[in-house]
Amino acid sequence: GQLADELVGADQRSAGAHEELRGLGRKLREKSEEAARVHDEVSGRLSLALSGGGSSSIAAEAQDSEMRQALLEALEGHKATLSRTEEAWHLAELGCERGATEESLVAEGRACSACEEELTEAMRRLYTTAARAASLEGPDPLVAASKRCLADWDNSEPRLIAARAACNLTLPQALRAARVLEREREAQGGLRTLLRAEEHRKHLLDAELIAPPEARRALAAMRTAAAESSVAAL
């Protein structure tokens, strides 16, 4: 019937809206992971150098260096903030995957933005600390490692800006897709309610046609009540 056809159309539109939201979630994951890789690569190279992995002389010569300790602390703060940021974007992607409401995704987006701001601040602290170390005089390997870190951040900045801009553009699109999905789900619910009521009335009518005379009045009353109930539910 017409209601069944309309429900099929609503199901198709809902599936399409959900798939669009999933696609946007995958894009958020891709771009946020791209930015995370840049952060991890740059900080990882400095961490390796400080641990002696890149040059054993750094750890040996600067074991008790106050500047080395400051760099290690800045690296630790950056690592922790990066982990929280990755988790925030992962939760946003999961929300898109499961078809979360617009309200829920707004909350996830705010969490992502807050983590991104914290990560930017942690990156600045690390950059500033590396700049202080790089300004020291002498051939200290710590100075060379810090200078490489600064160059790495400078060279990586365009990639970070592009990845974050992509996330900032994709998130509003995901919110719009979630809004459309909510609307389609509401339409689905209304059509299913109407279809169930229509089937119930049909069953009552069929029963009324074959019922003994004394039962027909009761069945007719039930059919009328069911019709009124379905209208009130809408």
Side-chain angles (χ1 to χ4, degrees):
Q2 181 179 351
L3 280 177
D5 290 342
E6 290 180 6
L7 182 57
V8 169
D11 288 342
Q12 291 173 342
R13 290 192 299 273
S14 178
H18 196 175
E19 185 52 41
E20 180 185 1
L21 185 56
R22 286 193 183 103
L24 291 167
R26 289 190 291 270
K27 186 174 181 181
L28 284 176
R29 178 188 63 197
E30 174 190 342
K31 295 304 179 180
S32 62
E33 287 181 350
E34 182 178 333
R37 279 194 299 273
V38 174
H39 279 276
D40 193 53
E41 288 169 5
V42 175
S43 61
R45 280 192 288 270
L46 179 59
S47 180
L48 183 65
L50 293 177
S51 68
S55 172
S56 59
S57 62
I58 294 182
E61 296 178 16
Q63 187 66 43
D64 299 322
S65 166
E66 182 179 336
M67 185 55 69
R68 176 177 180 273
Q69 187 59 38
L71 283 168
L72 288 172
E73 291 175 0
L75 279 169
E76 188 61 31
H78 178 266
K79 180 180 178 181
T81 308
L82 177 59
S83 179
R84 289 194 296 271
T85 304
E86 289 180 290
E87 179 63 19
W89 283 113
H90 178 61
L91 291 175
E93 185 223 340
L94 286 180
C96 294
E97 177 65 28
R98 70 172 186 268
T101 63
E102 181 185 10
E103 181 181 5
S104 177
L105 285 183
V106 165
E108 298 291 359
R110 286 173 179 163
C112 289
S113 296
C115 286
E116 285 287 351
E117 291 301 323
E118 291 178 4
L119 181 58
T120 298
E121 183 58 34
M123 183 185 71
R124 286 173 181 157
R125 284 196 298 270
L126 179 55
Y127 189 96
T128 300
T129 306
R132 291 206 314 271
S135 68
L136 299 175
E137 296 182 359
D140 191 329
L142 189 66
V143 174
S146 298
K147 288 180 178 179
R148 284 196 300 270
C149 178
L150 295 177
D152 285 343
W153 280 126
D154 291 339
N155 292 333
S156 300
E157 186 176 15
R159 291 169 59 195
L160 287 173
I161 292 174
R164 185 168 186 183
C167 288
N168 290 339
L169 286 173
T170 303
L171 191 55
Q173 295 173 358
L175 295 179
R176 286 193 292 271
R179 192 182 313 135
V180 171
L181 180 57
E182 282 186 79
R183 189 165 60 242
E184 294 300 340
R185 283 173 171 170
E186 289 176 1
Q188 279 179 300
L191 288 170
R192 287 196 176 99
T193 298
L194 284 174
L195 189 58
R196 284 195 299 269
E198 185 65 27
E199 290 173 348
H200 185 51
R201 287 197 300 272
K202 183 179 178 182
H203 292 155
L204 289 176
L205 180 58
D206 290 343
E208 186 180 341
L209 293 175
I210 62 174
E214 62 274 13
R216 289 178 183 172
R217 182 176 298 176
L219 288 169
M222 290 173 61
R223 182 160 50 84
T224 300
E228 294 174 348
S229 176
S230 65
V231 171
L234 297 176

